[in-house]
Amino acid sequence: MRKRKRERGESGRVLYMNGGCSGKCCRGRDMSCLTTDWRMDRVYGTCYCDEGCVRTKDCCFDYFTECPARDCAVSDWSFWSGCAKPCQLSVRVRVRHIEQQPGNSGQPCPSLEERAGCREYRNHQGRHCGLNSGPAFITSMAFAKGRPKHDSYGNPLNPGFCVEFKLESRTPHCTVENQPHTLWMRYITEGFRVCVACEPPAMRNNTSSCQGDGQESDKAAVLHWQAVGNPQCSGTWRKIQKTQQCTCPPQHSFVFI
């Protein structure tokens, strides 16, 4: 049991008085936040009304009634920002803010920021970026939900197509990180069939293809892919077929980016 002495609080007022915790709830560990009454362990004497009493088990009998725990409350996530850098692999950010600070040993606040990989297809002047040949850049199918389905005139965009691959290899880094935006990488497993959607704006209108989709390669070719959001998560796969729509389970469905 911790030892406390009667003393004045930071404000100079003496908090030692008779009665329970009514009107005497204190934040953190306050050695002067005390009174004389029954404790929660049914012992009569000095008891406390600060948040530290929960840990030291010397709260007054009515602490949880008079000083109920107040969990942190946060807002909904904001919309995702644009990519930090155009025409290259980059990151996007979304944030939320605290609407209620925690109190009386309530649940602490969660993370207020999330980052995820992304890629823009226009530069700051609005011109299309030049897309170089190279590995397929992929991310989770959830990313596609935020993509536009119509052009600026309201006309429907090309719905694209799907390419099925058999995963040949992946680096161990795909399972190292445990951030919300990297959990989808854990489902990239050797030997499984995966589906990857090719759709605007990743689809190049002049060729109706996506970078690294393997359309120009035969089925025996070993192709390379890289996960957006973790540059150390990469590997190889072989193309199985091109289909109109993706039919793989959600955890094995991705998009070209």
Side-chain angles (χ1 to χ4, degrees), residues 86-87 121-129:
C87 299
Y121 296 91
R122 291 178 181 271
N123 59 24
H124 291 308
Q125 290 71 42
R127 293 190 292 270
H128 282 283
C129 306

Side-chain angles (χ1 to χ4, degrees), residues 210-231:
C210 287
Q211 178 174 313
D213 63 13
Q215 288 199 78
E216 300 176 359
S217 306
D218 57 46
K219 291 186 177 181
V222 176
L223 306 172
H224 294 266
W225 57 266
Q226 179 178 320
V228 177
N230 181 0

Side-chain angles (χ1 to χ4, degrees), residues 58-124:
D58 51 9
C59 300
C60 296
F61 73 97
D62 60 350
Y63 175 76
F64 289 109
T65 302
E66 297 296 331
C67 310
R70 186 174 65 251
D71 295 339
C72 176
V74 296
S75 66
D76 293 333
W77 286 110
S78 67
F79 291 109
W80 285 102
S81 70
C83 288
K85 298 178 182 179
C87 299
Q88 59 181 289
L89 292 181
S90 185
V91 294
R92 55 183 180 146
V93 181
R94 66 176 182 175
V95 297
R96 55 188 174 185
H97 61 270
I98 297 173
E99 294 186 336
Q100 175 178 276
Q101 291 285 354
N104 301 328
S105 302
Q107 289 296 318
C109 295
S111 171
L112 301 178
E113 179 180 291
E114 278 190 356
R115 293 173 175 262
C118 66
R119 185 180 189 181
E120 294 284 8
Y121 296 91
R122 291 178 181 271
N123 59 24
H124 291 308

Side-chain angles (χ1 to χ4, degrees), residues 89-92 115-119 137-140 173 177 179 181-185 226-233 257:
L89 292 181
S90 185
V91 294
R92 55 183 180 146
R115 293 173 175 262
C118 66
R119 185 180 189 181
F137 295 111
I138 63 171
T139 189
S140 65
H173 299 87
E177 292 195 41
Q179 302 298 318
H181 67 277
T182 62
L183 293 180
W184 64 273
M185 301 176 192
Q226 179 178 320
V228 177
N230 181 0
Q232 293 182 303
C233 177
I257 191 173

Side-chain angles (χ1 to χ4, degrees), residues 141 147 161-163 195-199 202 210 246 254-257:
M141 186 64 77
R147 282 177 162 171
F161 56 88
C162 185
V163 183
C195 297
V196 189
C198 177
E199 58 189 18
C210 287
C246 293
F254 312 107
V255 292
F256 290 104
I257 191 173

